[in-house]
């Protein structure tokens, strides 16, 4: 999808609309990377995904101030959540000196910023070391804004949070979308507003309640809906079957029934697992059986979709031109219950379609299945991507400066 598609979708400034030459630009990134016990970064994809925006600003001769949250330090400095390792990794990725400021506001940062030259890069310490960040405190937002001439949001993974660095700063300085944010909106909003058909939505994961908004928003936009994972069993129960000890949300039974009625009325084909892998516990080595979803015995729970479901689901995707997938088909963290999720990963990767994957677990599954290169787009934000698929505006996008 090119820029043309984005025009109707994003009526906000993007990074290419602002003059960056010699300007101090505050980039809100999502550097919330996983660290091991020695504070080594175990996966730097979140840093890499912001490189196009950073490199563009360097090329344009801007002075680049980067800020992010990392983990949940609860409003207090805590070295476990320092962004120092991120600054180091960024220095290596950019092959260029990166200065690290030990706070995100105050005299030290102001001093560093005042000496910056075009092309210089500074990484600020974790925004969440200040409780004001998550409280969206106006004074704190103003202090952050005072460091720069303009603001770029490239933190898609945090764009659903109304925090000071996301919605507060744009009140004070011109605010634009970075390349990553733009790409996420382009794919996720684009697919909902103008999908190439047949359009298939594959949903899984633990709970119906987490995905209900997506189902409601897509029920008159998709051609097929495939539901696997724990959430399938609330639907199967709502159809009147016993599901043993499988995950069921009793307060969602009525809604599940209504959704199935609506899908039928909209001529949307709805697929639930026809068989499943059951066990009495998640313990490694626990006995497992494959049964149809209509004969799950008492005391047993369904923890993965079975081989017949894998076949039916894969076939249902084959003719798709657009596929979105969010949520694993089973408890894929445990080997014995991972086959359905990996089979789905391969089926989505094999589809001759625009394929969009969202959510941390699903992202992990396509990587573990070794098919991530065959997916058109993997979203960097779990909650934020669901919110866009629910058709809701993200606070971080709403806060950006309107395009004239
Ligand atoms: P979510 O965050 O809602 O996408 O849920 C992801 C979690 O759903 C993963 O940790 C899976 O282990 C879990 N899950 C998937 N299938 C099932 C199932 N049949 N029963 C219980 N949990 C499941």
């Amino acid at each position: 999808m090119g820029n043309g598609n984005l025009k109707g979708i994003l009526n906000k400034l993007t990074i290419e609309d602002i003059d960056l030459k010699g300007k101090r630009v505050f980039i809100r990134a999502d550097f919330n990377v996983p660290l091991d016990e020695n504070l080594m970064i175990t996966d730097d994809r979140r840093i890499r995904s912001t490189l196009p925006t950073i490199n563009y600003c360097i090329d344009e001769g801007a002075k680049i101030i980067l800020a992010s949250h990392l983990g949940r330090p609860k409003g207090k400095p805590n070295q476990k959540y320092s962004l120092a390792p991120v600054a180091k990794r960024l220095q290596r990725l950019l092959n260029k000196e990166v200065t690290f400021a030990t706070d995100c506001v105050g005299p030290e940062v102001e001093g560093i910023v005042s000496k910056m030259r075009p092309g210089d890069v500074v990484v600020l310490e974790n925004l969440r070391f200040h409780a004001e960040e998550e409280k969206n405190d106006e004074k704190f937002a103003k202090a952050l804004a005072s460091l720069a001439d303009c603001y770029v949001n490239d933190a898609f993974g945090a764009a659903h949070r109304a925090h000071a660095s996301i919605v507060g700063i744009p009140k004070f300085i011109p605010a634009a979308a970075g390349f990553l944010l733009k790409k996420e909106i382009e794919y996720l909003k684009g697919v909902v507003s103008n999908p190439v058909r047949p359009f298939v939505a594959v949903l899984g994961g633990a709970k119906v309640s987490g995905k209900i908004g997506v189902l409601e928003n897509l029920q008159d936009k998709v051609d097929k809906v495939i539901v696997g994972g724990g959430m399938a069993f609330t639907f199967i129960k709502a159809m009147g079957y016993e599901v043993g000890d499988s995950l069921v949300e009793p307060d969602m039974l009525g809604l599940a029934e209504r959704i199935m009625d609506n899908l039928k009325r909209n001529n949307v084909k709805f697929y639930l697992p026809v068989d499943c892998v059951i066990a009495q516990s998640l313990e490694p080595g626990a006995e497992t059986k494959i049964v149809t979803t209509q004969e799950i015995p008492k005391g047993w729970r369904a923890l993965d979709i079975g081989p017949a479901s894998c076949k039916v689901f894969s076939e249902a995707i084959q003719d798709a031109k657009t596929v979105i997938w969010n949520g694993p088909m089973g408890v894929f963290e445990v080997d014995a219950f991972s086959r359905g999720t990996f089979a789905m990963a391969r089926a989505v990767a094999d589809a001759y379609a625009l394929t969009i994957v969202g959510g941390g677990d699903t992202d992990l599954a396509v990587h573990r299945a070794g098919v991530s290169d065959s997916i058109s787009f993997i979203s960097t934000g779990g909650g934020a991507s669901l919110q866009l698929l629910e058709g809701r505006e993200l606070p971080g996008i709403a806060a950006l400066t309107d395009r004239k």
Side-chain angles (χ1 to χ4, degrees):
M1 267 186 275
N3 264 341
N5 211 343
L6 189 63
K7 290 243 165 68
I9 298 172
L10 185 69
N11 288 320
K12 299 290 182 181
L13 289 186
T14 70
I15 187 166
E16 289 158 306
D17 296 322
I18 48 178
D19 177 19
L20 291 164
K21 197 170 167 50
K23 300 274 165 56
R24 296 166 302 164
V25 54
F26 187 107
I27 303 177
R28 175 47 160 109
D30 178 7
F31 290 155
N32 187 24
V33 291
L35 299 167
D36 66 14
E37 61 281 3
N38 300 315
L39 303 183
M40 298 292 282
I41 297 169
T42 54
D43 180 349
D44 65 3
R45 272 180 294 154
R46 286 208 162 133
I47 307 176
R48 288 174 191 271
S49 58
T50 299
L51 291 178
T53 292
I54 301 172
N55 279 319
Y56 176 80
C57 292
I58 294 173
D59 291 346
E60 291 290 303
K63 302 169 184 174
I64 298 123
I65 303 158
L66 284 153
S68 175
H69 71 286
L70 196 163
R72 297 181 188 277
K74 303 203 173 108
K76 285 196 290 278
N78 179 340
Q79 281 318 295
K80 236 171 81 186
Y81 302 108
S82 173
L83 277 159
V86 169
K88 232 188 210 168
R89 178 64 59 95
L90 184 63
Q91 174 155 306
R92 208 158 78 210
L93 292 170
L94 290 173
N95 194 19
K96 165 179 192 35
E97 194 186 331
V98 169
T99 306
F100 178 66
T102 58
D103 201 349
C104 59
V105 286
E108 184 207 346
V109 197
E110 287 161 19
I112 293 173
V113 170
S114 70
K115 294 191 196 79
M116 285 177 85
R117 285 159 312 166
D120 282 355
V121 180
V122 172
V123 172
L124 308 184
E125 183 55 288
N126 196 337
L127 292 158
R128 287 195 188 163
F129 284 2
H130 294 261
E132 292 89 338
E133 161 66 357
E134 291 183 73
K135 287 187 190 140
N136 187 18
D137 180 86
E138 186 154 313
K139 256 206 212 135
F140 180 68
K142 199 172 180 181
L144 292 171
S146 72
L147 296 173
D149 303 300
C150 55
Y151 167 89
V152 168
N153 187 342
D154 220 20
F156 179 71
H160 59 311
R161 311 227 181 260
H163 294 169
S165 67
I166 302 287
V167 298
I169 301 176
K171 291 192 180 130
F172 302 102
I173 49 178
F179 289 116
L180 174 64
L181 191 71
K182 198 173 132 181
K183 195 156 101 185
E184 293 271 6
I185 299 165
E186 194 171 32
Y187 275 101
L188 293 165
K189 268 191 146 177
V191 81
V192 175
S193 62
N194 193 17
V196 183
R197 293 176 180 282
F199 177 20
V200 182
V202 184
L203 297 173
K207 291 187 170 174
V208 179
S209 44
K211 310 274 156 65
I212 202 77
V214 178
L215 268 170
E216 286 183 317
N217 186 41
L218 295 183
Q219 60 192 358
D220 57 354
K221 300 183 176 70
V222 287
D223 299 289
K224 294 177 187 176
V225 172
I226 296 173
V227 168
M231 64 182 283
F233 297 91
T234 297
F235 286 95
I236 292 169
K237 176 95 180 170
M239 289 165 80
Y241 297 107
E242 286 309 318
V243 294
D245 287 356
S246 307
L247 203 62
V248 168
E249 287 168 276
D251 52 346
M252 286 282 142
L253 288 167
L255 198 52
E257 221 174 315
R258 274 204 302 285
I259 294 233
M260 288 191 283
D261 284 344
N262 288 346
L263 291 172
K264 203 188 246 169
R265 213 171 310 123
N266 289 323
N267 284 322
V268 175
K269 285 199 182 133
F270 184 55
Y271 298 80
L272 284 167
V274 289
D275 62 346
C276 51
V277 182
I278 57 170
Q280 284 170 302
S281 88
L282 270 168
E283 294 303 309
E287 185 193 355
T288 62
K289 293 187 200 174
I290 295 168
V291 296
T292 73
T293 39
Q294 288 153 27
E295 50 179 23
I296 304 169
K298 278 204 176 87
W300 290 71
R301 50 188 148 140
L303 294 164
D304 194 10
I305 59 172
S309 310
C310 291
K311 190 159 182 284
V312 174
F313 288 3
S314 301
E315 280 169 9
I317 290 178
Q318 254 168 28
D319 68 340
K321 288 278 178 288
T322 307
V323 181
I324 56 161
W325 177 25
N326 190 308
M329 296 290 104
V331 181
F332 77 112
E333 300 92 335
V334 178
D335 267 356
F337 313 112
S338 65
R339 284 197 192 97
T341 301
F342 292 141
M344 180 54 77
R346 286 190 295 273
V348 173
D350 286 347
Y352 192 66
L354 174 77
T355 49
I356 299 177
V357 163
D361 288 319
T362 324
D363 176 358
L364 193 65
V366 292
H367 277 91
R368 286 216 186 129
V371 297
S372 57
D373 288 346
S374 306
I375 305 292
S376 313
F377 183 67
I378 301 176
S379 175
T380 56
S385 72
L386 280 179
Q387 214 160 304
L388 278 188
L389 294 175
E390 284 166 9
R392 287 160 61 197
E393 187 69 282
L394 298 181
I397 297 172
L400 299 177
T401 309
D402 288 331
R403 184 193 289 274
K404 293 267 155 41

